Amino acid sequence: MRLRLLIGALALAVLVLGLSFPWLKTPLLLALANGLAVAGVIVLIRAGQVSFGNAMFACLAGYGAAFMARAWQLDALLLIGLSAVLAALAGAVIGLFIVRYRGIFFGMLNLALSMVLFSVLGKFGAVTGGTDGLRFDRPTLGFVHLEREGFETALLVLALAMAIVAGWLVQRYFASISGQALAAIKTNETRLEYLGISARRVFWGGYVLAATLCGLGGSLFALAQGLVTPEMGYWVRSGELVFIAILGGSGHALGAFIGAFVFEFMKLYAAALLTGAWQLVMGLVLLAMVFLAPKGVFGMIERRLRSGRNA
Amino acid sequence: MNASLFALALMDGVSYAALLFLVALGLTLIFGVMRILNIAHGSLYAWGGYFAATLGLLITRFELSPLLALPALVVAALLMGGLLGTVLEFALLRRILDKDPILQLLVTFAAFMVLEDLQRMIWGVQPVFVSDVVSQLGTLSVAGVTYTRYQLLVLPSMAVLAFFGLRWFLGRTALGRQVTAVTHHREVATAMGVNTGRVTWLTISVGCALGALGGALASPTTSFTPGIGAEMMVLSFAVVATGGLGQIGGAALAALMIGLARSFAIYLLPELEVLVPYLIMVGVLLIRPEGLFSTVATRRI
């Protein structure tokens, strides 16, 4: 109950901030897009696996959206939907063989595939725009032509709604049989198999869900910027997604979004105050989190909520 | 592709593979004792290279004997690798042994982020390139191709030296046997009276020094720019995963495969050059999920 109040308050705060300070719109939007992708990473972390290549799905969806926007001038809603489907399909195909791997090999294979995508996008400049990326014009949103201001506001509201729905779905998934089985991959995969549940099939489902969420995040990111670059799929970006998951707390989907907001604003301030040293600050914060609060910001909030209930 | 082009690609590939092998060897060694894939390893490569270039510049500025240039590369690597390895081990790695594997990985990722920015602050963003050593050693003609002695002789012999030296150390010396014991089973080794902490510190320093050595030896032929560490990181990952985690022989074979494939790709299919290492890795892992050289029962070192 308290958690719902908290989510409501946070969502309201995002809306109020975004509407009253126009310059905050872009960072908030990017944070929500990042949060969606991180929610996908959290699904994988639930299975005890960490992928250093999940940004490839965000990148793929972003490029998908850019190509479709340039070729067919589709509506933004269609772009988001179609590119998320694209990411889901890619996740389903890659998932077919990648679910056989665990631990470091899982992370490394994801990383290798994302680097293949990254290099292809950078090398075949004639089609993909090379390292400069692809620009596309602002599409209609809900078949309405909007100016930049209005478009960003509408996108922000849309992103917020998507984040809430996605977070709810992820939590529902965690509570379902598949979600419980997914968590069992981390604790004891052999026992899971003894129960007659295929660990690979369960993990495949989680992988596709993660890919779809990353795809949603990537398409929002692309729409917010009107530009996609291969950097979206670089392995350091994937590492950042895992970082945000740990920062926010991987125990709950809400952690992904809290982490994404904290990350975005830390980046904003670190870039302004300590030019050229934001990675340094991030690294130190990450170290502090691992040693002092390994359950992330959400872990701290949860403890507060619990102790409040007992009192 | 004619004969001389073939020879050129072959030599390019071997000298590149030598560098790749040195870096990957360090990574696989650290993985052996810690069971942690050190993401900051690519930064060691970059720091080793930058520091070696700085030493090279100092030698020119103070007009010291040019004979010092080659030893300076090795000294730079040992100093930088030993120093950073010790800092990493004391400040971070020894404190995370009992943590969740994901957190362990993240700690080294954090170290990578920190080192990456520090490197940018110290050496700036301009490309750094000191190639005096290469011109001093001169060139050599083989099969109608003129090639630098440095790349053709120095780099491969360093790699071979590291390979056999490490095998001798691990197999024949008391300390090396202790390292093997810790890789094999940490707790049992401790129970048998091995000073695990010291062994771990030593192995990490040696591993880091190997990474730095790869960078230092690459510095005369590669221009160092920010981001080179991240690039080398994924390449050495690819080598280590292809060869089998913790496998020295596997790393050597994988480095040779990836190095040669890459240099032939440069001459034959230049667009695919960057893709080749990853394609090889994916291909190998699809057929042998644990890498080329590992079987479930093998001893991992």
Side-chain angles (χ1 to χ4, degrees):
Chain A
M1 200 58 225
R2 281 162 152 253
L3 196 61
R4 282 203 190 142
L5 278 177
L6 179 70
I7 294 171
L10 278 177
L12 198 67
V14 170
L15 267 188
V16 171
L17 280 174
L19 294 181
S20 43
F21 301 99
W23 62 273
L24 270 176
K25 250 183 251 170
T26 313
L28 285 171
L29 196 52
L30 294 184
L32 284 168
N34 252 340
L36 279 167
V38 175
V41 172
I42 281 184
V43 172
L44 294 178
I45 290 182
R46 188 49 76 109
Q49 308 300 319
V50 30
S51 153
F52 269 85
N54 245 45
M56 73 177 142
F57 295 112
C59 184
L60 195 69
Y63 268 88
F67 275 120
M68 286 187 276
R70 284 164 73 102
W72 305 316
Q73 280 86 37
L74 292 183
D75 186 72
L77 295 175
L78 270 175
L79 287 177
I80 294 175
L82 286 176
S83 49
V85 169
L86 182 72
L89 284 177
V93 174
I94 294 174
L96 282 180
F97 62 89
I98 220 160
V99 295
R100 293 195 288 149
Y101 301 86
R102 296 287 178 274
I104 288 187
F105 285 98
F106 175 77
M108 289 303 101
L109 261 182
N110 273 304
L111 180 131
L113 291 172
S114 77
M115 289 305 289
V116 168
L117 179 70
F118 171 78
S119 322
V120 166
L121 291 176
K123 277 283 162 182
F124 295 89
V127 191
T128 62
T131 45
D132 292 338
L134 273 185
R135 219 163 249 300
F136 57 95
D137 293 329
R138 195 171 44 246
T140 57
L141 199 129
F143 300 99
V144 184
H145 272 285
L146 290 167
E147 282 312 302
R148 201 190 140 138
E149 273 301 286
F151 182 76
E152 282 189 342
T153 312
L155 209 55
L156 182 68
V157 175
L158 180 68
L160 191 61
M162 275 164 62
I164 292 172
V165 173
W168 180 73
L169 277 176
V170 167
Q171 282 307 119
R172 277 302 295 257
Y173 171 72
F174 282 161
S176 73
I177 293 174
S178 312
Q180 295 288 323
L182 188 76
I185 292 180
K186 179 178 184 175
T187 43
N188 197 328
E189 200 172 330
T190 323
R191 282 191 199 166
L192 190 64
E193 296 276 353
Y194 272 113
L195 288 174
I197 296 172
S198 161
R200 285 186 187 169
R201 196 166 299 166
V202 167
F203 192 32
W204 183 81
Y207 193 78
V208 174
L209 177 61
T212 316
L213 287 168
C214 285
L216 280 176
S219 57
L220 266 181
F221 193 84
L223 282 172
Q225 307 240 318
L227 168 76
V228 286
T229 59
E231 287 298 315
M232 280 173 76
Y234 197 47
W235 73 270
V236 177
R237 272 290 299 153
S238 301
E240 269 173 19
L241 294 181
V242 183
F243 166 38
I244 299 172
I246 299 297
L247 178 68
S250 54
H252 193 285
L254 180 59
F257 295 98
I258 296 177
F261 284 119
V262 175
F263 179 80
E264 203 60 43
F265 284 95
M266 261 176 21
K267 199 168 156 178
L268 215 61
Y269 277 98
L273 298 176
L274 300 152
T275 324
W278 76 268
Q279 278 207 70
L280 183 87
V281 177
M282 294 290 158
L284 294 177
V285 169
L286 180 53
L287 286 178
M289 289 307 287
V290 168
F291 285 107
L292 303 176
K295 293 199 165 166
V297 178
F298 182 77
M300 295 196 268
I301 294 172
E302 199 185 25
R303 212 165 48 202
R304 189 65 50 92
L305 289 181
R306 284 250 171 82
S307 64
R309 192 174 300 160
N310 291 341
Chain B
M1 175 172 240
N2 58 32
S4 63
L5 208 56
F6 180 82
L8 195 62
L10 200 66
M11 287 185 241
D12 272 351
V14 169
S15 74
Y16 186 69
L19 292 173
L20 215 49
F21 171 67
L22 285 172
V23 181
L25 191 59
L27 189 66
T28 212
L29 199 64
I30 296 176
F31 180 82
V33 286
M34 296 293 291
R35 301 276 151 213
I36 294 173
L37 206 57
N38 178 18
I39 297 184
H41 198 67
S43 302
L44 263 308
Y45 171 85
W47 282 63
Y50 272 115
F51 188 54
T54 311
L55 280 192
L57 284 179
L58 286 179
I59 288 175
T60 334
R61 175 168 325 151
F62 293 106
E63 288 161 9
L64 298 174
S65 159
L67 288 176
L68 286 173
L70 191 60
L73 292 180
V74 180
V75 171
L78 292 180
L79 276 179
M80 202 34 109
L83 180 75
L84 283 182
T86 307
V87 171
L88 273 179
E89 139 78 354
F90 275 83
L92 301 174
L93 296 180
R94 69 167 45 188
R95 296 169 206 284
I96 55 171
L97 279 172
D98 55 341
K99 287 206 187 294
D100 187 88
I102 294 178
L103 293 184
Q104 292 179 338
L105 211 56
L106 261 271
V107 164
T108 63
F109 184 68
F112 161 76
M113 290 172 98
V114 171
L115 286 175
E116 198 76 347
D117 259 5
L118 283 180
Q119 167 211 315
R120 206 166 305 177
M121 286 173 191
I122 298 173
W123 286 288
V125 291
Q126 294 301 317
V128 174
F129 184 56
V130 181
S131 65
D132 295 349
V133 191
V134 180
S135 43
Q136 270 164 39
L137 286 172
T139 56
L140 199 67
S141 271
V142 183
V145 181
T146 310
Y147 212 73
T148 62
R149 281 209 178 93
Y150 179 77
Q151 278 168 293
L152 196 58
L153 301 176
V154 176
L155 294 185
S157 51
M158 282 287 191
V160 171
L161 202 69
F163 178 75
F164 285 106
L166 204 61
R167 285 188 66 136
W168 172 79
F169 169 71
L170 291 173
R172 301 262 176 241
T173 62
L175 194 58
R177 300 292 283 240
Q178 291 185 8
V179 175
T180 315
V182 175
T183 0
H184 204 46
H185 203 295
R186 187 174 202 93
E187 279 163 27
V188 173
T190 317
M192 294 294 176
V194 174
N195 186 342
T196 337
R198 200 183 58 159
V199 166
T200 310
W201 167 66
L202 178 89
T203 320
I204 288 175
S205 302
V206 172
C208 286
L210 282 169
L213 184 64
L217 291 177
S219 66
T221 52
T222 323
S223 80
F224 273 66
T225 48
I228 196 165
E231 220 168 278
M232 196 36 148
M233 185 65 242
V234 279
L235 272 176
S236 54
F237 269 163
V239 170
V240 169
T242 308
L245 283 172
Q247 301 288 336
I248 294 178
L253 184 65
L256 215 51
M257 272 168 62
I258 288 178
L260 285 174
R262 205 183 113 133
S263 71
F264 276 95
I266 289 176
Y267 292 103
L268 297 173
L269 301 155
E271 296 85 15
L272 290 185
E273 178 223 327
V274 256
L275 287 183
V276 164
Y278 310 112
L279 292 179
I280 290 182
M281 173 182 167
V282 172
V284 167
L285 288 188
L286 282 181
I287 300 161
R288 291 192 61 94
E290 301 262 294
L292 282 176
F293 270 43
S294 68
T295 49
V296 181
T298 41
R299 188 184 62 177
R300 286 184 172 163
I301 241 291

